[in-house]
Amino acid sequence: MSTPSVLFVCVHNAGRSQMAAGWLRHLAGDSVEVRSAGSAPGDQVNPAAVDAMAEVGIDISGQRPTVLTTDAVEASDVVITMGCGDACPIFPGKRYLDWDLEDPAGQGVEAVRPIRDEIERRIRGLLSELQVPVR
């Protein structure tokens, strides 16, 4: 079986999608190919998201927001959108999930923790659906 590929998309690619990618890399290791991108990427990853993830032992400080490309969507098996509205291209034959998560932009680490924990719950569910063991 080939390695499943997951793309996380939000507007700025600075908070939710970066935390989701961090969780997926952490829990799945090399068993899943992980991408994240934004329709209007920010300058840097949200510092509160970096701090919230560091609290659970996941370092996303080296990540950079990336612009969403059609190539990234076409190369992915599952595309998970997080509030990017109509900016996300839709291709036939792809599995799309829309995760309605609060935007951590401009919020402190206290407000980001529950978003981080909800993302972890959803990532664990996704791994179960993909039949990828949590490492």
Side-chain angles (χ1 to χ4, degrees), residues 11-99:
V11 175
H12 300 297
N13 189 220
R16 295 166 289 192
S17 55
Q18 292 285 356
M19 289 192 290
W23 272 119
L24 188 53
R25 284 187 195 100
H26 178 74
L27 294 172
D30 296 336
S31 301
V32 177
E33 190 178 350
V34 181
R35 295 181 181 89
S36 74
S39 52
D43 296 330
Q44 65 178 24
V45 175
N46 180 335
V50 172
D51 291 346
M53 293 299 284
E55 290 177 351
V56 293
I58 300 172
D59 181 8
I60 61 168
S61 64
Q63 299 300 315
R64 294 285 167 262
T66 308
V67 70
L68 177 65
T69 64
T70 53
D71 289 348
V73 176
E74 288 180 321
S76 302
D77 300 312
V78 181
V79 179
I80 299 174
T81 58
M82 303 172 178
C84 71
D86 297 333
C88 297
I90 303 293
F91 291 95
K94 301 289 171 197
R95 179 168 173 217
Y96 289 87
L97 300 171
D98 184 52
W99 289 359

